[in-house]
Amino acid sequence: MAQNTQPRRWNVARLTRLIWLPGLCLVLAACHLDMYQQPKGYPNDPSTFFPDGRLNRPPVPNTVAIGQFQSDPHFLQGTLADGSPATELPPNVKLDDRLLAYGRTRYEAFCMPCHGLVGDGQGIIAQRGPLTVPSLHQERLRTAPVGYFYGVITNGVGRMYGLASRVPPEDRWAIVAYVRALQLSQNASIDDVPPDQRGLIESGR
């Protein structure tokens, strides 16, 4: 029986696979799972990395977002030129039924859980936790200027944190206007009602 004496020829495609296959295995072995399944967090998650235990980072102090710079201290800070709290709403904030209605929605969303529906400091958080919330109807707050409330909403006070990053200035002034309306509603007398509307109140309509 004749034997094949021809030299063996290597298939180029097969040879290429034999060369690249070990290299591909080495590359895949070098890719650790952590490279595409990295640890991550979601908004409002706790964190052990930051000292305050929060994942969310507050804005860097004294920074202003692009396009948000304004220089009106009355509107943005609730203060007058001398730094004292403003006693009136800013000129560009119109006090009307629409502002009060919107202020009520913002108050109920951000303030009511602690301060209560009518501002008496008996919100659900105050009722369930060891937290004393002052009534908005006490003399000290009834006579406080509107700029004081705006400053508290912006920067916080005591155990209340500031809402500047959550509530824009327009909404803060709407809340202030509604707070003042709440104070008036809980400390008003019949003499404060316009004469042409007293009959409706007295008749219970």
Side-chain angles (χ1 to χ4, degrees), residues 165-181:
S165 62
R166 303 183 184 186
V167 185
E170 297 86 352
D171 291 13
R172 285 176 242 165
W173 282 116
I175 293 175
V176 170
Y178 182 70
V179 166
R180 191 60 94 201

Side-chain angles (χ1 to χ4, degrees), residues 1-203:
M1 184 174 181
Q3 294 183 355
N4 185 5
T5 59
Q6 295 292 330
R8 186 177 181 181
R9 292 186 176 87
W10 288 89
N11 183 286
V12 176
R14 182 180 179 187
L15 183 61
T16 302
R17 287 196 297 269
L18 290 175
I19 294 175
W20 282 100
L21 185 59
L24 181 60
C25 291
L26 290 174
V27 172
L28 293 177
C31 295
H32 197 272
L33 290 178
D34 287 347
M35 295 185 66
Y36 60 90
Q37 293 182 353
Q38 300 182 30
K40 62 182 178 180
Y42 294 93
N44 299 320
D45 277 354
S47 171
T48 58
F49 181 80
F50 297 105
D52 60 3
R54 298 185 303 169
L55 182 66
N56 293 5
R57 296 293 83 213
V60 178
N62 302 318
T63 57
V64 180
I66 296 177
Q68 298 298 313
F69 176 74
Q70 299 184 46
S71 59
D72 184 357
H74 190 173
F75 179 73
L76 295 175
Q77 302 173 16
T79 60
L80 301 178
D82 61 359
S84 61
T87 57
E88 298 180 354
L89 298 179
N92 57 332
V93 177
K94 182 181 180 182
L95 179 59
D96 54 17
D97 292 343
R98 183 177 180 180
L99 179 70
L100 294 177
Y102 183 67
R104 177 179 180 178
T105 66
R106 300 298 84 195
Y107 173 88
E108 293 180 351
F110 293 100
C111 311
M112 187 177 68
C114 290
H115 289 280
L117 183 64
V118 296
D120 56 1
Q122 296 301 310
I124 190 66
I125 293 179
Q127 294 179 21
R128 294 186 176 182
L131 181 66
T132 301
V133 181
S135 170
L136 297 175
H137 305 295
Q138 59 182 279
E139 183 67 17
R140 176 181 67 86
L141 296 180
R142 285 200 305 113
T143 58
V146 292
Y148 169 80
F149 296 101
Y150 183 90
V152 169
I153 298 172
T154 303
N155 305 309
V157 64
R159 298 178 67 179
M160 173 182 169
Y161 56 84
L163 296 173
S165 62
R166 303 183 184 186
V167 185
E170 297 86 352
D171 291 13
R172 285 176 242 165
W173 282 116
I175 293 175
V176 170
Y178 182 70
V179 166
R180 191 60 94 201
L182 272 181
Q183 292 174 326
L184 292 174
S185 70
Q186 299 298 308
N187 295 275
S189 66
I190 191 65
D191 295 332
D192 298 319
V193 180
D196 60 335
Q197 298 182 17
R198 293 179 185 177
L200 296 176
I201 297 178
E202 293 172 347
S203 62

